[in-house]
Amino acid sequence: MLDASLVKEALKKSKVKSEQFKDLEYLRFTDDYKNIPRGTVIFQEFTIFGYPHIGRIFQLSTGLREQFTEPFWVEEKVDGYNLRIFYHKGEVYALTRSGLICAFSTDRVLDFIDKRFFEDNPDLVLCAEMAGPENPYVEESPPYVKEDVRLFVFDIMRKNESTFLPQREKLELIEKYSLPSVEVFGRFTVDQVEKIKDLLRKLDQECREGVVFKEDSERNKRVKYITRYANLNDIRITSLNIMGLPADYYTNRLLRLALFIEEEGLEKDDSLYTELGKAFLEGIFQACKLSREEGKVYRTFRCRFHSKENLLIFLEQIKHSSAHIQIIERGIRQEGNMYVLEFDKVFLNMTGLLGHVLRGGSVFD
Amino acid sequence: MLDASLVKEALKKSKVKSEQFKDLEYLRFTDDYKNIPRGTVIFQEFTIFGYPHIGRIFQLSTGLREQFTEPFWVEEKVDGYNLRIFYHKGEVYALTRSGLICAFSTDRVLDFIDKRFFEDNPDLVLCAEMAGPENPYVEESPPYVKEDVRLFVFDIMRKNESTFLPQREKLELIEKYSLPSVEVFGRFTVDQVEKIKDLLRKLDQECREGVVFKEDSERNKRVKYITRYANLNDIRITSLNIMGLPADYYTNRLLRLALFIEEEGLEKDDSLYTELGKAFLEGIFQACKLSREEGKVYRTFRCRFHSKENLLIFLEQIKHSSAHIQIIERGIRQEGNMYVLEFDKVFLNMTGLLGHVLRGGSVFD
């Protein structure tokens, strides 16, 4: 459990916010504070630690040797959003990375997880990626999720503990309860770097995001590594809102992209350059078109709920989630047993800046 | 003149620094402070105001109409660095935009300016761009400066005044003293936007940077507008040091590039996309090569001096000009009557980050 005086201190420094989901009240760390990661949440009966930051390597050949002293597991990194799923008084809830109970994810999580897992193991927390074209947060989705969303477990934690179960224990639980999980490519040593490069080249061709390496040791050290495809795709997807992103978003991805290409010995040819140039410019052209024709730059999202109550709670949640994004509801309709919500995210920075300059305004930069 | 109490206030807030060039002492505004622009310098006998910020438009068709109510002059914007050139006790000095007397520019300025101009008009200040492949500051240079540097006057100020002489007075002085100047394309009205678009398309094809519009009115309002070529070239030139630049450097240029292409009706074809992708990646590949082979990312500069004393002063000046750049002297040699300095700028951020990740280090981003 967390030290009470530390929590008080964090509250005073506004690093902790009080939240409510239905009748469940909790505290949430909105930033890292001392050794407590952002997204850590405190309920009356227990604490769930935030999912830790994972370092990124830019080179396999030197990176694996530098980072690991023991063999390590290689698992797929799925392109979705991070959840921590837990059990409380007979109900299953899903927390986002930032520590909010998400009404959408909570509504959907039992489509993928056998509740028995939690009934047998009420003190465990599943760390999983929710991914697919109909998720409300990220615009990317893995190529093999063709519709709606799917869930992919990649770690298991315990309530009140900040560490993960060992890999074998995790795999046993995944098997025992038929939990959906990320693909595990196996256990490797640093001498197998050529095999790992082959794997990454294959994942790249299959339009998959990348991998997480997890050392098979007490310290359970992790690093991640991303494909050429994923870096290009990040640029392609976000260039519609290019002035709204953190400024180093693109420079980071360009560096990763260049190093992936060098390490994997991919061609530095015109088709690569064309793909990159297109990734940047097509989104900006599209943003200009939207600004001229509709006066705003936005993207439409859709997601499906079982419960209309959860849908309405979710709509309130997302409306207040960012000062830089305006949510406009497009409609709610029933489809079979489910409720489909459609909404637009209006990118306010991009809308404002583009509107200003297209009307002839000047900028001091 | 500046109000003494304002200067005291700015000194207290560390917005003003004391400087020395040979036996000339002065104060320099290192930041904008209230209505005093960065680069303003105070000598015992007079003040020279900083060159003001000029707003940028992203669209000609709407922009000129939005910005101007009177006809305006259109002048070339030359891709070099900004100087303010002044006379003091029989000597001519050149100030950089940030308000430092530059030993290089001061050494060379009388190659281009007839000293009679200052003898007849000791209270005038020439605002000019120094540009060419052998300048010590910027890596870009106009296509028509094939070697060394040249100087291009674009404004004339008076000591102790923050405004410019009217365009016609400036043009008369330029003619009278045969001052080298930027190309003046003429006086236009907002109804001639198609003509101006044609001009910009031509400048773009000639690999020139762009134009400054100057309203022919009391308020003498200015805005600038940059070509596709210049935006692409900025990316191409700086991608070697991509992690060392302000993060919005690239997003800004991408937006300008997209809007230039749209407005001028240029092809959105593969050759454009390829050129952009190449501009980003070739510099990064080159940086990786330098990092692997020489352990540092750098670019070599060369510039020519008349006086060896000025060369040595300049070398000291530039060594202390940035915490992010290390200057390594490559050599000094005599060529005819001149001294040639060669030096490397080592980009420390890029060198550090690239060295770290190529050695296998991880990054939390």
Side-chain angles (χ1 to χ4, degrees):
Chain A
M1 288 292 274
L2 281 177
D3 182 50
S5 68
L6 198 65
V7 177
K8 263 192 202 159
E9 209 179 290
L11 265 164
K12 245 192 232 160
K13 298 201 171 165
S14 299
K15 303 290 184 188
V16 169
K17 235 182 115 182
S18 132
E19 304 284 355
Q20 180 159 12
F21 179 77
K22 297 181 181 171
D23 52 3
L24 191 56
E25 290 180 6
Y26 59 104
L27 295 176
R28 173 173 79 98
F29 278 77
T30 53
D31 281 301
D32 290 345
Y33 185 72
K34 299 202 169 164
N35 62 341
I36 305 164
R38 166 172 172 268
T40 297
V41 290
I42 307 176
F43 297 93
Q44 208 162 4
E45 297 85 353
F46 55 85
T47 291
I48 297 175
F49 278 88
Y51 193 83
H53 304 285
I54 295 183
R56 175 193 309 285
I57 54 171
F58 289 63
Q59 275 236 302
L60 293 172
S61 48
T62 53
L64 295 171
R65 219 167 268 283
E66 177 73 20
Q67 301 297 325
F68 296 127
T69 52
E70 303 289 328
F72 47 83
W73 294 90
V74 183
E75 296 185 352
E76 183 178 6
K77 185 174 189 315
V78 174
D79 209 348
Y81 63 93
N82 179 298
L83 290 175
R84 281 160 294 148
I85 304 159
F86 68 99
Y87 190 69
H88 180 57
K89 296 185 178 167
E91 298 287 332
V92 175
Y93 299 91
L95 289 166
T96 61
R97 186 97 190 227
S98 70
L100 282 163
I101 296 179
C102 164
F104 168 72
S105 313
T106 297
D107 183 87
R108 299 299 309 279
V109 76
L110 286 179
D111 294 354
F112 310 103
I113 302 289
D114 184 348
K115 204 176 176 182
R116 269 196 319 123
F117 170 81
F118 285 115
E119 288 161 353
D120 295 353
N121 306 284
D123 62 330
L124 292 185
V125 177
L126 293 175
C127 304
E129 199 83 353
M130 185 81 98
E134 290 176 22
N135 88 75
Y137 297 119
V138 297
E139 293 144 47
E140 288 146 296
S141 95
Y144 44 79
V145 186
K146 300 291 183 204
E147 53 164 20
D148 200 8
V149 286
R150 280 167 56 194
L151 191 76
F152 303 89
V153 172
F154 50 79
D155 271 315
I156 302 180
M157 307 171 83
R158 240 177 249 290
K159 286 174 181 167
N160 304 319
E161 288 181 22
S162 64
T163 54
F164 301 110
L165 298 193
Q167 182 79 356
R168 280 183 186 78
E169 238 174 278
K170 175 186 87 175
L171 293 177
E172 280 164 25
L173 286 165
I174 284 173
E175 207 193 322
K176 181 170 174 194
Y177 293 96
S178 301
L179 301 176
S181 87
V182 299
E183 190 172 345
V184 180
F185 301 113
R187 188 170 172 275
F188 294 82
T189 67
V190 292
D191 296 323
Q192 292 173 291
V193 69
E194 287 308 318
K195 256 195 161 160
I196 295 168
K197 280 196 196 177
D198 291 345
L199 168 65
L200 263 299
R201 204 154 42 236
K202 182 177 152 279
L203 294 178
D204 183 45
Q205 281 158 7
E206 292 170 1
C207 305
R208 291 159 82 175
E209 194 189 10
V211 295
V212 178
F213 301 101
K214 298 177 174 178
E215 195 175 72
D216 194 7
S217 67
E218 185 74 23
R219 64 173 186 161
N220 195 349
K221 176 167 187 180
R222 288 112 186 269
V223 291
K224 59 189 172 186
Y225 183 72
I226 306 300
T227 61
R228 181 201 66 94
Y229 170 82
N231 286 309
L232 273 171
N233 201 38
D234 281 354
I235 295 170
R236 181 164 35 234
I237 294 282
T238 61
S239 58
L240 181 78
N241 183 27
I242 196 165
M243 307 308 281
L245 271 101
D248 54 357
Y249 184 91
Y250 296 100
T251 52
N252 266 323
R253 277 158 184 80
L254 286 163
L255 182 58
R256 295 181 209 160
L257 176 65
L259 289 178
F260 187 96
I261 288 160
E262 292 232 313
E263 176 152 56
E264 293 285 357
L266 304 184
E267 284 296 334
K268 298 174 182 172
D269 59 10
D270 279 2
S271 79
L272 162 71
Y273 298 132
T274 307
E275 197 178 347
L276 175 59
K278 234 182 203 166
F280 272 117
L281 287 177
E282 285 191 338
I284 305 179
F285 290 140
Q286 173 66 8
C288 292
K289 191 168 181 287
L290 285 169
S291 178
R292 287 203 185 91
E293 292 177 2
E294 305 189 41
K296 61 191 178 192
V297 181
Y298 68 94
R299 184 163 273 149
T300 303
F301 288 74
R302 227 180 96 95
C303 46
R304 309 183 193 184
F305 293 78
H306 294 290
S307 135
K308 191 154 179 189
E309 186 196 0
N310 282 336
L311 184 155
L312 296 173
I313 295 175
F314 175 77
L315 200 53
E316 279 312 302
Q317 287 183 323
I318 198 154
K319 275 183 181 164
H320 299 101
S321 64
S322 166
H324 305 293
I325 290 176
Q326 184 190 2
I327 302 294
I328 297 179
E329 187 187 325
R330 273 190 176 256
I332 300 170
R333 66 172 192 282
Q334 221 172 331
E335 251 182 38
N337 292 325
M338 299 194 81
Y339 296 89
V340 178
L341 168 67
E342 273 198 17
F343 63 92
D344 293 337
K345 285 189 192 172
V346 181
F347 304 118
L348 297 176
N349 291 337
M350 193 71 178
T351 296
L353 177 64
L354 214 48
H356 176 70
V357 302
L358 288 175
R359 279 191 302 274
S362 73
V363 170
F364 289 84
D365 49 20
Chain B
M1 288 292 274
L2 281 177
D3 181 50
S5 67
L6 197 66
V7 178
K8 263 192 201 160
E9 211 179 286
L11 264 165
K12 247 193 231 160
K13 299 200 170 168
S14 300
K15 302 290 184 188
V16 169
K17 235 182 116 182
S18 130
E19 304 285 355
Q20 180 159 12
F21 179 78
K22 297 181 180 171
D23 52 2
L24 190 56
E25 290 180 8
Y26 59 103
L27 295 176
R28 172 173 80 98
F29 279 77
T30 54
D31 281 302
D32 290 345
Y33 186 71
K34 298 200 169 165
N35 62 341
I36 304 164
R38 166 174 173 268
T40 297
V41 291
I42 307 176
F43 297 92
Q44 209 163 3
E45 297 84 354
F46 55 85
T47 291
I48 297 175
F49 278 88
Y51 194 83
H53 304 284
I54 295 183
R56 174 192 310 284
I57 54 171
F58 289 64
Q59 275 235 303
L60 293 171
S61 48
T62 54
L64 295 171
R65 217 167 269 284
E66 177 71 20
Q67 301 297 326
F68 297 127
T69 51
E70 304 288 328
F72 46 84
W73 293 91
V74 183
E75 295 185 352
E76 183 177 6
K77 184 173 188 318
V78 174
D79 208 348
Y81 62 94
N82 179 298
L83 290 174
R84 282 161 293 147
I85 303 159
F86 67 99
Y87 190 69
H88 180 57
K89 294 186 177 163
E91 298 287 333
V92 175
Y93 299 91
L95 288 167
T96 61
R97 186 95 188 228
S98 69
L100 281 164
I101 296 179
C102 165
F104 169 73
S105 313
T106 298
D107 183 87
R108 299 298 310 278
V109 77
L110 287 180
D111 293 354
F112 310 103
I113 302 290
D114 184 347
K115 203 175 176 181
R116 269 197 317 122
F117 170 81
F118 285 115
E119 288 161 353
D120 294 353
N121 306 283
D123 62 331
L124 293 186
V125 177
L126 293 175
C127 304
E129 200 83 353
M130 184 82 97
E134 290 176 21
N135 88 75
Y137 296 119
V138 297
E139 293 144 48
E140 288 147 295
S141 94
Y144 44 78
V145 185
K146 300 290 184 206
E147 54 165 19
D148 199 9
V149 286
R150 280 168 54 194
L151 191 77
F152 304 89
V153 172
F154 49 79
D155 272 315
I156 302 179
M157 306 171 84
R158 238 177 250 290
K159 286 175 182 168
N160 303 319
E161 288 181 23
S162 64
T163 54
F164 300 110
L165 300 192
Q167 183 79 357
R168 280 183 184 78
E169 237 174 279
K170 175 186 86 174
L171 293 177
E172 280 164 24
L173 286 165
I174 284 173
E175 208 195 320
K176 181 170 175 195
Y177 293 96
S178 301
L179 300 176
S181 87
V182 299
E183 190 171 345
V184 180
F185 300 113
R187 188 170 172 276
F188 294 81
T189 68
V190 291
D191 297 323
Q192 292 173 291
V193 69
E194 287 308 319
K195 255 195 161 158
I196 294 168
K197 281 196 197 178
D198 291 344
L199 168 66
L200 264 299
R201 205 155 41 237
K202 181 175 153 281
L203 293 179
D204 184 45
Q205 282 159 4
E206 293 170 0
C207 304
R208 290 158 84 174
E209 193 189 10
V211 295
V212 178
F213 301 101
K214 299 178 173 176
E215 194 174 73
D216 194 7
S217 66
E218 183 75 23
R219 64 174 185 160
N220 195 350
K221 176 168 187 180
R222 287 112 187 269
V223 291
K224 58 188 173 186
Y225 184 72
I226 305 300
T227 61
R228 181 200 66 94
Y229 170 82
N231 287 308
L232 273 170
N233 201 38
D234 281 353
I235 295 171
R236 183 165 32 236
I237 294 283
T238 60
S239 58
L240 181 78
N241 182 28
I242 195 165
M243 306 308 280
L245 271 101
D248 55 356
Y249 184 90
Y250 297 100
T251 51
N252 267 324
R253 276 159 184 79
L254 286 163
L255 182 59
R256 295 180 209 160
L257 176 64
L259 290 178
F260 188 96
I261 288 160
E262 293 231 313
E263 176 152 57
E264 293 285 358
L266 304 184
E267 283 298 334
K268 298 174 182 174
D269 59 9
D270 279 2
S271 78
L272 162 70
Y273 297 131
T274 308
E275 196 177 347
L276 175 59
K278 234 182 205 168
F280 273 116
L281 286 177
E282 286 192 337
I284 305 179
F285 290 140
Q286 172 66 10
C288 292
K289 191 169 184 288
L290 287 169
S291 179
R292 286 204 186 89
E293 293 177 2
E294 305 189 41
K296 61 190 180 191
V297 181
Y298 67 92
R299 186 163 270 148
T300 303
F301 288 74
R302 227 180 97 95
C303 47
R304 311 182 191 185
F305 294 78
H306 294 289
S307 134
K308 190 153 181 192
E309 184 196 1
N310 282 336
L311 184 155
L312 295 172
I313 294 174
F314 175 76
L315 199 53
E316 278 312 300
Q317 286 183 323
I318 197 153
K319 274 183 183 165
H320 298 100
S321 64
S322 166
H324 306 292
I325 291 175
Q326 184 192 1
I327 301 295
I328 298 179
E329 187 187 323
R330 274 191 173 254
I332 298 170
R333 64 172 194 281
Q334 218 171 333
E335 250 182 38
N337 292 326
M338 300 194 82
Y339 295 89
V340 178
L341 167 67
E342 272 198 17
F343 63 92
D344 294 338
K345 285 188 192 174
V346 182
F347 303 118
L348 296 176
N349 292 337
M350 193 71 178
T351 295
L353 176 65
L354 214 47
H356 175 71
V357 302
L358 288 175
R359 278 190 304 272
S362 73
V363 170
F364 289 85
D365 51 18

